[in-house]
Structure formats: structure tokens, C-alpha cells
Amino acid sequence: VFNAKTAELLSHHQVEIKQEFPREGWVEQDPKEILNSVYECVEKTCEKMKQLNINIANIRAIGVTNQRETTVVWDKTTGEPLYNAIVWLDLRTQSTVERLLKRIPGKNKTFSKFKTGLPLSTYFSAVKLRWLLDNVEEIRKAVEDRRAMFGTIDSWLIWSLTGGKNGGIHCTDVTNASRTMLFNIHSLEWDPELCKFFDIPMEILPNVRSSSEVYGLMKICPSRKSGALTGVPISGCLGDQSAALVGQMCFRDGQAKNTYGTGCFLLCNTGQKSVFSEHGLITTIAYKMGRDKPAFYALEGSVAIAGAVVRWLRDNLGIAKTSQEVEKLAADVGTSYGCYFVPAFSGLYAPYWEPSARGIICGLTQFTNKSHIAFAALEAVCFQTREILDAMNKDCGIPLSQLQVDGGMTNNKILMQLQSDILCIPVVKPSMPETTALGAAMAAGAAEGVGVWSLNPGDLTAVTCERFEPQINPEESEYRYARWKKAVMKSMGWETSDSPNGKPK
């Protein structure tokens, strides 16, 4: 919860959501657990507000932000999900992608680039939805009976929170729609030709709205008898990376931010024109702040594995009990001692779009220990960002003079210093790291009919920031970066979908 005048964080609550990995490369979440976590966060935050003597009747609007591309299909008559949510970095659709590629002349992955801004990849929602229709009998049947609804997590939440099976609003915003591969980013409508190509019935798709308008009002949740915010409009909706761009106040052409979460996402605002990348970036909608306002576009570089590599060191290898301990291990040695880690657990995203890549650790010697590996893992996050920044500088023609950063991993000071050293430019971190939530709140508060948040540049509060300046010489940085690129080449071409039992050859 934010103060609309000062953008100050007043109160918050968070709940970790379980990821399920039913098979290798599969990543799922329970849509009901996601919804319940939202109810729990609302209730707990409102309790905290009361303890602070802040009247919750002052909450004027609610914004929704979500991990994009994650795909849910539910039954509109029962309100129940028909399958787990397939998470954005899930890889089960690789054979679906290969099958679809065969239908495209010259197997051109970028066949729809000028309509959607996206390459054909396991990453986007259309192929996940295609997989569900092909593999889940219950979903096929629900589509035939006209009971099925598709949405990304924002749609599932807005529908459920505004009444669900009793009159819930089935909608999404342009930023989330632009990540499905079914949406024309110029006409701002679902594209009939693409729906036909993926063989997806258009009637299951949500209505596409702007990122800042009243979609509906919060209803009481019958099962929880809770309704602290009943009647408050839900009036902001932005995919997480767009929300962070707004929260970082990157409203001018050429402003960019990098979010360090599970993955890493660098977005650069390109204004009211869509710029198409020659260097492996994707074109996406940044925001559309009102029904009658223009859409703004962004170039985006997506890295699948950033924070997830620290989680992997903790949970899979057990070299540390907490994420903070990984940072401490890295700090103890201050170098990877020539060890390089390419965490291509879900293939490589930008700028390579190489689903066959897999993770590797190379340059090991008898001297290498777990501290060096921890350092190499943090360095990998920075090298991946550098690759995207290089691509962005080539596409935009104006090199970034500094990088604005946010997300959970930015609390790691070693990482932020490393990032500055590897990019050879300053890294600037706002003192309030919850910029994604802030962006959603700004969109909600600025909506017509709510009007408690001004987005005029003159009214935006300057945010206090911490700066990290490069501390190593550029030659050393270039040398390490060149070695990293060599390691990336070695990670490619591991996995083929026709391997026996789905195991690597």
C-alpha cells in the first residue's frame, strides 16, 4: 500500500508461492494458491494498517501486477482452474514449438515479429495454451461446452476478485496481451490469423483493456468471509516488467530499467513507436495509461535465470542455507578464479533464443571451491545483463549512461557492484525496492474515475537512490566478458526433443 502523494510505502505483506516441477523442464503453480495468497496479503496488510492507525477506507484503488506469460484455463461455471498454471519458464512446449515451426515457410522463428514483436518460443502463452488444448481432455471438453476461459494470472485474479462465477470481469491489459503471441501490438486487438495459426478459439480470450481504467469492484470472498476492500475499484493492471518500468518513472524515450527477480528483464522505453530489434531483443507494449491514451512501446531483453540460480545453489546443491549466505560465500573470495557458470536451465532467452542450451560450469580446477562457484553464479547474472545491454545499445543507437535497477536481488551489494564493473557504467538502485508494486499502484491511482495519483512529470516525487560506480579497469571487464561468451557457446545444442524417453542424447 502506497501513499498516492509521496509514493511512500505504507504497509505490505508477502507470501511465498510454491513452484511445482512434475517433470524435468516442467514448472507449474496452483492458481488457487495464488488467489488465496492474494486474499491473505490483502487481509494481513489491512490488519497492519489498522495497527498503524491508518484508516483502510482511505484505500481508493487496487492495482494488479503478475508474472507475464504464465497460463491458466478455468471453468467459468464452477470458477475452478482446469489444470495447474503453466509458468512462463516452463519448457514442455518445445515439441509444440518444433511442430509449429514445420508449418512456417523456411521454419522462420520470427514469422510474426512485426505483428507481435515476439519470436516463436516456449516462453509465450499461445504455445502453452496449445499444449493444454492438445494434452488435457478436461480443457478440450470445457472449450467444446463453452465453459472455458483463458487468461494470464492478471486475468485469473481480476475475474476471481470481481465476483468469479457470479459476474466476474474477464479482461487483461495491453501489456499482458502483448506477451501471448496472439495480439497485434499495432491494432491493439487479438489477431484472427494468429489465433487460426495456433488453432485457439477466440471466445476463450479475455477482453483487452488499457493498463489504467476501472475494470470492476472488489467483491467479498465467500469462502473466507473476508472483505476488507469490498467495493474498492480494481483500476490498474500491468505485467510485472512494465509495472517496474512505470514504478521506476521511465516515462521518457530511452529510459531503461533492469529487474532482477527469478529471471532478469531489461526494458527500454521507445515512446509511441515500436522499434524492432536486429539483435535478438523483443518488442513489447510498455503501458497504455487510459482508454483514450496512446500505447507506449519498449524493447526488452529477457534472461530466464537470475535469482533462480541462487535458489538452485541453495535448494539443489545445498552449498548455502540462505540466499544471503550465497552472497557471503562470493564476498569471501571476491573472484570466480577463472570459473564460469552459464545457468541455461530453461535454454537461453535473449539475445540467443536457443531452447537447446543447458546449464554448464566450466574452467574448474582443483583449486575451485563452492565460494568460487557462488561468485561465478552472481557474475553470470551480470554477464547476461551485459549481453542484453549491448544488444539494446546497438538497436537504440544511444548507449545507456547508467542502469536503473530493482527487484529482490538488488539487495545484494556484491551483485550490484559486480554489475557496475561488468557494464562499465553506474548502476542506480532506488531505496524502495518494490517498484513493480509501485507501478501497479500508480496505474490504479491515475485511472479515470479514481484520479488520486498524478503521472505528470512535475508531480512525480524524486526517489532517493544508491549508486554503484565501476571499480575495475575496462580491460579486465572485457577479458572476463569474452571468456563468458566462450562458455555460452559451449552450453548450446545439448538437448533435442527426439531423444529417447525425453532424456538428453
Side-chain angles (χ1 to χ4, degrees), residues 260 327 382 401-407 409-431 464-472:
Y260 298 76
E327 181 179 356
C382 302
S401 54
Q402 61 173 37
L403 183 65
Q404 288 175 230
V405 300
D406 59 75
M409 281 189 98
T410 59
N411 295 326
N412 183 330
K413 288 190 162 39
I414 302 279
L415 180 74
M416 292 298 96
Q417 185 54 54
L418 250 182
Q419 188 67 84
S420 177
D421 290 345
I422 286 168
L423 296 179
C424 306
I425 56 172
V427 165
V428 182
K429 172 195 173 214
S431 54
T464 50
C465 291
E466 191 177 351
R467 277 176 80 84
F468 296 86
E469 303 277 347
Q471 288 178 355
I472 62 172

Side-chain angles (χ1 to χ4, degrees), residues 120-275:
L120 181 58
S121 157
T122 57
Y123 181 19
F124 307 109
S125 314
V127 288
K128 300 182 196 304
L129 181 51
R130 186 63 259 150
W131 186 92
L132 287 167
L133 292 165
D134 290 338
N135 292 281
V136 183
E137 184 55 44
E138 235 180 310
I139 288 182
R140 243 198 327 264
K141 183 129 183 39
V143 169
E144 280 166 23
D145 299 348
R146 298 187 172 262
R147 290 181 285 115
M149 284 183 162
F150 152 79
T152 41
I153 296 294
D154 55 307
S155 299
W156 161 244
L157 290 178
I158 291 172
W159 184 81
S160 301
L161 296 172
T162 55
K165 60 184 180 183
N166 303 313
I169 308 293
H170 190 211
C171 68
T172 186
D173 89 301
V174 289
T175 67
N176 280 296
S178 75
R179 313 296 294 191
T180 57
M181 279 207 95
L182 300 171
F183 187 69
N184 185 314
I185 59 174
H186 311 292
S187 68
L188 305 183
E189 287 173 342
W190 297 120
D191 188 283
E193 282 178 20
L194 286 166
C195 289
K196 200 171 165 193
F197 173 77
F198 287 104
D199 192 16
I200 283 165
M202 291 183 79
E203 62 271 13
I204 73 173
L205 304 178
N207 289 322
V208 184
R209 316 268 286 268
S210 76
S211 312
S212 176
E213 61 178 86
V214 176
Y215 312 112
L217 306 180
M218 273 287 268
K219 296 274 196 319
I220 289 179
C221 167
S223 62
R224 292 177 150 254
K225 320 251 182 311
S226 62
L229 299 180
T230 303
V232 178
I234 299 177
S235 54
C237 179
L238 289 156
D240 52 2
Q241 304 315 325
S242 288
L245 193 75
V246 170
Q248 286 264 30
M249 325 270 174
C250 296
F251 293 121
R252 284 203 315 277
D253 217 341
Q255 283 185 301
K257 66 88 210 165
N258 196 25
T259 300
Y260 298 76
T262 308
C264 226
F265 300 90
L266 182 58
L267 265 73
C268 179
N269 188 334
T270 62
Q272 291 178 44
K273 59 182 189 303
S274 47
V275 174

Side-chain angles (χ1 to χ4, degrees), residues 457-503:
D459 299 333
L460 295 172
T461 328
V463 191
T464 50
C465 291
E466 191 177 351
R467 277 176 80 84
F468 296 86
E469 303 277 347
Q471 288 178 355
I472 62 172
N473 66 35
E475 289 73 36
E476 188 192 337
S477 175
E478 289 306 315
Y479 172 75
R480 276 155 59 182
Y481 183 47
R483 297 282 291 265
W484 154 262
K485 287 188 94 89
K486 194 171 162 184
V488 170
M489 289 304 145
K490 302 221 179 299
S491 76
M492 291 190 189
W494 278 95
E495 186 61 78
T496 58
S497 62
D498 53 1
S499 314
N501 318 325
K503 291 211 168 60

Side-chain angles (χ1 to χ4, degrees), residues 290-310:
R291 218 174 283 192
D292 308 319
K293 299 283 198 311
F296 280 69
Y297 295 87
L299 269 177
E300 173 174 339
S302 331
V303 167
I305 303 290
V309 73
V310 175

Side-chain angles (χ1 to χ4, degrees), residues 24-25 91 305 308-309 312 341-347 357-360:
E24 200 218 340
L91 279 179
I305 303 290
V309 73
W312 182 84
F341 189 159
V342 182
F345 302 156
S346 294
R358 285 298 176 270
I360 60 166

Side-chain angles (χ1 to χ4, degrees), residues 27-191:
V27 191
E28 296 180 1
Q29 286 172 339
D30 176 354
K32 296 199 65 170
E33 186 191 346
I34 295 173
L35 178 60
N36 286 329
S37 76
V38 170
Y39 282 125
E40 186 180 331
C41 287
V42 167
E43 298 303 315
K44 289 280 196 320
T45 305
C46 288
E47 281 166 27
K48 290 178 186 177
M49 303 276 285
K50 284 174 188 158
Q51 286 159 11
L52 295 166
N53 287 328
I54 304 171
N55 184 352
I56 60 167
N58 290 334
I59 297 178
R60 296 287 299 281
I62 296 166
V64 173
T65 178
N66 56 295
Q67 292 192 344
R68 307 164 301 171
E69 300 95 17
T70 299
T71 299
V72 192
V73 180
W74 66 95
D75 184 322
K76 65 180 170 194
T77 55
T78 63
E80 295 291 314
L82 293 164
Y83 194 82
N84 269 346
I86 300 185
V87 177
W88 58 275
L89 46 64
D90 182 283
L91 279 179
R92 77 187 64 186
T93 51
Q94 197 171 332
S95 54
T96 310
V97 168
E98 285 167 16
R99 196 179 74 238
L100 290 164
L101 267 177
K102 287 182 185 143
R103 291 174 36 204
I104 301 164
K107 290 194 176 179
N108 176 12
K109 264 184 205 167
T110 58
F111 79 110
S112 72
K113 174 169 149 178
F114 294 106
K115 270 187 180 180
T116 64
L118 313 173
L120 181 58
S121 157
T122 57
Y123 181 19
F124 307 109
S125 314
V127 288
K128 300 182 196 304
L129 181 51
R130 186 63 259 150
W131 186 92
L132 287 167
L133 292 165
D134 290 338
N135 292 281
V136 183
E137 184 55 44
E138 235 180 310
I139 288 182
R140 243 198 327 264
K141 183 129 183 39
V143 169
E144 280 166 23
D145 299 348
R146 298 187 172 262
R147 290 181 285 115
M149 284 183 162
F150 152 79
T152 41
I153 296 294
D154 55 307
S155 299
W156 161 244
L157 290 178
I158 291 172
W159 184 81
S160 301
L161 296 172
T162 55
K165 60 184 180 183
N166 303 313
I169 308 293
H170 190 211
C171 68
T172 186
D173 89 301
V174 289
T175 67
N176 280 296
S178 75
R179 313 296 294 191
T180 57
M181 279 207 95
L182 300 171
F183 187 69
N184 185 314
I185 59 174
H186 311 292
S187 68
L188 305 183
E189 287 173 342
W190 297 120
D191 188 283

